[in-house]
Structure formats: structure tokens, C-alpha cells
Amino acid sequence: MRPRQVRAWTRALPSAAGATRALGLLAVVAAVGLLPWLSGKDPALTVLRARSAEQEPTKEALDAVRRDLGLDAGPLSLLGRWASGLVRGDLGTSWVSGTEVLPSVVSGLQVSLALMGAAFGVALVLAGALVASVLVRGRRSAGAFAAMLAAVPEFLLATVALLVCGVWLGWLPTSGWQGPRYMVLPALALGVPAGGLLGRLVADALPGVLDERWVELWRGAGVSRRLIAGAALKRVLPPLVPQFGMVAVGLTGGAVAVETVFAVPGIGRTALGAAKSQDLPLLQGAVLALLTLGLAVGALAAFTRRGLLGPALRDASLALPPARPVRTHPAIPLTLFTLLVVVIGWGLLRDPYAVHTADRLTAPSWSHPLGTDGLGRDVLARLGHGAAPTVGTAAAVCLLSLLAALALGFLPGVAAGAADIANALPPVIVGILVAAAAGPGTGGAALAVALISWPPLAAHAAALVQEVRASSFLLAQRALGAPPWWILTRHVLPSVAAPVARHALLRLPGIALALASLGFLGLGAQPPAPEWGLLLDESRAYVERAPWAALAPAVALALLAGLAVSGAASAQGRHAPRTSPRGKVTPVDPVDPVGV
């Protein structure tokens, strides 16, 4: 691909992304509009019960609700009326409360944006702390600790923070939304896992940059560490900018569990309540607000990334950093693997379904090494028997997401537009839509999570593919007559697949938690299944009295995240060449390390 072709291809990306965004927006809004009919439940009955739980659902009462809502006209008529009102700036009237939808959506969005800003600030501070050792001191890490932080369940962290800082110590409010003090605990609960994820992604990309020739020359010339750090960050951030935007959108719409724990009237909680009561106008308004936010943040991330890359992207003169995988000592993944295998194997020898009400909520002992839950069931047994369905389903979803991301990565315009739409949808809302069409169950929950777990990976892959295609190295390979298949398999795929695969491993525990949250809402695995996420959700009610029931699956998920990341780094370190071929032929200009 010549520079002129690269420029034409780069200019075509926004139009392709815009078309994909428009089609995705229409598809999601239409699917939401069909929810009452997809669910197989009588929307009149659901709305009647939401309006008044004491009123008898007689035929006359249900007919009156249908006439009031216009349900007899069918979904297309309702969707057309809603769309015509949307053109005039009218989101309709709530089916349950009878109030206008727009003020409720605006109020919930304002709350969620404020919470997102605070949580994103926490995430950036934590990510900076995780990256500091790599950036300033030159110390390298496989990122196991950051991966464990990313695997901390948000709702469990929220519950523990509420009990410790709110109830026991009385430092901060435990519920409501009346001022800045009320957002501290929710922001911490949301920001810690997000900070672990962002810090791991940046730290994963830094070693290759810090080994480049320009860093050595700058240090020899006496350039300050601050300037070198700033240049290195500018070098690694372009393909990661979309991830920052997606994390921000996820903190806005995906904070349903945290908003529920702290009774925060955010947009995610509003959308969940509307979906449960089949309040179609309110649900459509909330989803439309989330999608609009996702599109706006996606456009801002794309603009920021193009600004960081500068004219090098347009002129096909990017110089990519050499691949320098971070090596880790094999003892780290071996220790984590041994610990998990011992605990899971020990639990498999026990009965996970035996109920002993006399032993409910007992502390860890020799007879029950990890204690018992609210029904007297052995926590160790349930942890062991739940490993296969939890890790297996999450691994399958993670693999499907990775394959889809790598395929869509070679269609950056399509990937960017579709990712902005899919990433803006809370997993709970997608789970409700899938369950309405296919019914609740593990398969439906896995499908729902798969539908919304690929966007961050696809955005990462698309950004890397775009930069690889615009590199001067590939231009030289084509000029030397290298065939397209050789370039694809020897240069493009290795440059893209490795970092995206590490990113996918980092999200594996989060996928397991998303599956668990759907199971808790009755959309996935059902009790008494010993799934790790269900163990977390079942133990929330008595986490103050029996914290071991919640800590066991939470620690198991954290160990799984650390094992996945450190194991991948150890394997990659053993097989990595000492000198990257790409680094030989594409030295970075020591005066201009970012190719601008």
C-alpha cells in the first residue's frame, strides 16, 4: 500500500465508522423497542404490577392498560411514534410513573457522569502508580498485581467499602447522592479495577519503547527523566486511547451493581429498573443516552489518537516500537497455578450441595477450611466444583471475543463504529434482551456477554492494524516485493495478535464476573449451581458476618487473573528472540521518537 493509498484508506475510515455507528444505533433502538414482545410476557401485566402491586390483574384492568399505552397497535407503531417524538426532542412519557422521560434520563446521566469523572480520576491515579516503576525506575513487571486489581469484583469492593468506611468507621455516607462526599466510596469501588486494567495495558506497551535507541541517546545527552517519560507515553498511548474512552463509557453505564449497593440514582440503575418493569419509553431514553455518550467519547478518542500520531499516520511513515515482551520468573505462575489446583482439587472431594442449617455461616475450621455459606454448604466444595463452569465458560467467551476482535481489526472503520455502540450497552441490558429472545440460562448469558465483551479488544486490534499498515517498514517490505501473505503472517499478525491476546487474558476474570452478574439477576446460571459469581452474589447479604464466603471466590478470581497474565508473560519470555527483527530495520529517529 503506497502512501497515497494509505492516505485514501485513512480518509475512508471515518465514513465507514459513521455508517456502522448509524446502523448499530438503529438496530439497538429497534431491539429495545421489541423487548415487551420478545420477552413473551404480557407488558400490560408487568406495567400494572409496577404501577400498583396490590391491584388485581383483572381482564378489565389489563385492557385499560393496553388502551392507555397503545399496545394493541403493535411494536412498529409504538416505535414510529417514539421516533417521531424524538425528532421534536420528546422522549415520551413513562409507562409506570406517567412523568416525562427526558428529565429522568438527564438527571440519571448527570449523576452517572459525575460518578464516572470521579472514578476515572481514581483509575488514572492508580494506573500512574502502577506504570511509575516501569516508566521512571526502569523496573519491569509481568503485571500480575495489576491484573489482580482488575479482577476485583466491583460490587464486592463496594460492599466492603460501605461496611468498613461507612458503617464501622462512620467516615463517609453509605447511600444516596447529595454531594461530593457521597461519591467517594462508589468512585473507589469503580476506579480500582479500572485503574488496574489501564495500568496493565500501558505497562505492557512500555518496555519495547524504553529499549529503543532514542531513549539511550536522550539519556546520554542528559535529557531529564520527565521529558523521556513524556515522550515514551506519547509513543505508546495512541493504540490505547480508545481503551481509555471505553473504560470511561463502561464506568458510566456499567456501574449498575455499584449504583445499586450505594442507592445512587444513575443512568445504569435507571435503565435496569425500566427493563425489569418493561417501561419501554424510559428504557429507550436511557439506552439512547448511553449510546450517544458512547459515540461522543469514541469520536473524541479517535480525534485524540490522530492528534497524537500526527502526519506520520497520513503519510505512512510511522516507525513502530520493537516487540520487547516482559519476562517474568516461572516461579510466579507456577506458584499461582499450584495454589489454585490444590484448592480446587481439595474442593472437588467434597459435596457442594449438602445443606446443614445448623452449621450456617461457620468460620473456617478443619472440617470446613473456607467456612460455610448461608445454608451451611461448604464454601471450599462449592469453590472447587464451580471452577470448571466458571473458568470454562469465561474462557470460551474470551476466545470468541479475541477471534472476533482480530477479524474486525482488519476492518478498522467497521470495528470502531460497532465497538462504540456495543461498548455503551450495559451487560445487564443486553442480558435481558438475549434472555427475552432465547430464555434464561448459561448459554444465553454467555451469548450476552460475548456480544459486549469484544469491543475493547476490537478497538485495540483496529488501532494496531492501522498503525502497522501506515508504518514505513511495511512500505519498504512491499517495495522489496514481499508477497501480501508473507507480510500478513510474518509482520502484521504478530504485531497485533500478541498484545491483543494479553489484553484478552486480562479481561478473563471480568468476563467471569459479567456472567455471574447475569446469573444473579436470573438470566444465567441458576442456584444452586456452584458458580463463582453466584457465590459472590449469594454472600453479599451476609458479608459482614461471614466475609470468608465472599473472599474465597474473589481471591480465586484474582489468582486466576494473575496466573493468566504472568503465565503468558513467562511463556512469551522463553520463546522471544533476543533482538527483534522489526527493531533492526525500523530504528526510531532519536530526535523525534513518535514519528511526527
Side-chain angles (χ1 to χ4, degrees):
M1 189 178 292
R2 296 179 176 87
R4 182 181 302 174
Q5 293 175 313
V6 172
R7 289 193 290 270
W9 177 73
T10 304
R11 287 194 296 268
L13 291 181
S15 59
T20 306
R21 291 185 180 100
L23 291 176
L25 184 63
L26 291 175
V28 172
V29 171
V32 171
L34 294 174
L35 176 60
W37 289 267
L38 291 174
S39 64
K41 300 178 182 178
D42 186 359
L45 177 60
T46 306
V47 172
L48 180 65
R49 288 177 174 172
R51 288 179 175 179
S52 176
E54 299 177 355
Q55 185 175 354
E56 289 292 330
T58 62
K59 183 179 183 302
E60 293 76 11
L62 294 176
D63 289 340
V65 172
R66 293 190 185 95
R67 288 192 300 271
D68 180 35
L69 303 181
L71 295 174
D72 294 333
L76 295 181
S77 176
L78 285 175
L79 188 59
R81 281 197 331 223
W82 181 80
S84 63
L86 181 63
V87 175
R88 303 188 303 269
D90 181 14
L91 295 181
T93 303
S94 170
W95 284 1
V96 175
S97 65
T99 59
E100 292 187 6
V101 168
L102 184 58
S104 300
V105 170
V106 171
S107 175
L109 188 60
Q110 288 176 342
V111 171
S112 291
L113 287 176
L115 179 57
M116 180 270 285
F120 198 65
V122 173
L124 290 179
V125 171
L126 180 57
L130 293 172
V131 171
S133 61
V134 180
L135 192 61
V136 178
R137 302 176 185 176
R139 297 178 183 174
R140 301 182 182 184
S141 167
F145 178 68
M148 291 180 180
L149 288 179
V152 174
E154 294 173 347
F155 59 84
L156 178 63
L157 188 59
T159 304
V160 172
L162 183 148
L163 289 174
V164 175
C165 299
V167 178
W168 296 346
L169 301 178
W171 289 348
L172 295 164
T174 58
S175 63
W177 189 263
Q178 300 177 17
R181 296 179 68 246
Y182 287 79
M183 74 171 63
V184 174
L185 294 181
L188 287 174
L190 290 170
V192 169
L197 174 65
L198 294 177
R200 174 70 185 104
L201 290 176
V202 176
D204 181 62
L206 274 175
V209 172
L210 295 177
D211 280 344
E212 290 180 330
R213 178 66 174 167
W214 68 269
V215 176
E216 182 180 352
L217 293 176
W218 280 28
R219 287 172 178 164
V223 178
S224 67
R225 286 184 175 181
R226 182 178 60 82
L227 291 178
I228 295 176
L233 283 176
K234 189 178 179 182
R235 183 90 161 99
V236 302
L237 280 181
L240 300 180
V241 166
Q243 303 303 317
F244 282 75
M246 288 187 169
V247 166
V249 175
L251 291 174
T252 306
V256 179
V258 173
E259 290 178 356
T260 301
V261 170
F262 291 101
V264 176
I267 190 69
R269 189 176 171 214
T270 300
L272 177 61
K276 286 183 175 181
S277 62
Q278 294 198 19
D279 190 347
L280 192 56
L282 182 57
L283 177 60
Q284 287 175 315
V287 169
L288 182 63
L290 289 172
L291 293 178
T292 304
L293 175 66
L295 293 177
V297 173
L300 178 62
F303 178 79
T304 303
R305 177 172 169 271
R306 290 175 67 86
L308 287 173
L309 289 174
L313 177 64
R314 181 194 63 213
D315 298 333
S317 58
L318 283 179
L320 302 178
R324 296 283 196 235
V326 179
R327 296 171 175 84
T328 184
H329 197 282
I332 297 177
L334 182 61
T335 301
L336 296 176
F337 177 76
T338 303
L339 183 59
L340 279 173
V341 168
V342 169
V343 172
I344 292 172
W346 196 2
L348 289 174
L349 302 177
R350 297 166 172 263
D351 186 356
Y353 301 106
V355 176
H356 303 284
T357 54
D359 296 331
R360 61 186 305 269
L361 302 181
T362 57
S365 61
W366 179 251
S367 57
H368 300 287
L370 296 180
T372 62
D373 64 7
L375 296 177
R377 297 173 297 190
D378 188 82
V379 173
L380 177 60
R382 294 182 64 76
L383 188 71
H385 285 267
T390 301
V391 180
T393 305
V397 172
C398 187
L399 179 60
L400 289 175
S401 301
L402 174 61
L403 294 177
L406 292 177
L408 288 172
F410 290 90
L411 301 170
V414 176
D420 288 341
I421 294 293
N423 183 69
L425 290 172
V428 172
I429 303 302
V430 180
I432 290 175
L433 292 174
V434 172
T442 303
L447 175 60
V449 175
L451 289 174
I452 52 97
S453 60
W454 60 267
L457 303 178
H460 195 180
L464 291 173
V465 167
Q466 188 179 6
E467 293 180 24
V468 171
R469 280 177 168 173
S471 66
S472 56
F473 169 67
L474 284 193
L475 188 63
Q477 289 288 310
R478 295 187 184 96
L480 293 174
W485 183 253
W486 170 272
I487 294 175
L488 175 66
T489 57
R490 297 300 299 269
H491 297 292
V492 179
L493 275 179
S495 299
V496 175
V500 177
R502 293 193 294 271
H503 186 180
L505 286 173
L506 187 60
R507 291 187 177 271
L508 178 62
I511 291 174
L513 286 176
L515 290 167
S517 65
L518 295 181
F520 175 68
L521 295 171
L523 304 173
Q526 304 294 306
E531 201 172 39
W532 289 358
L534 284 178
L535 302 186
L536 282 168
D537 290 318
E538 291 170 352
S539 62
R540 279 198 308 158
Y542 46 83
V543 68
E544 183 178 4
R545 294 177 54 195
W548 49 84
L551 288 176
V555 171
L557 285 169
L559 292 177
L560 174 65
L563 173 62
V565 174
S566 61
S570 178
Q572 188 183 36
R574 287 198 306 271
H575 297 95
R578 292 186 177 182
T579 304
S580 171
R582 190 175 63 183
K584 286 183 178 180
V585 297
T586 56
V588 180
D589 184 357
V591 179
D592 187 7
V594 292
V596 178

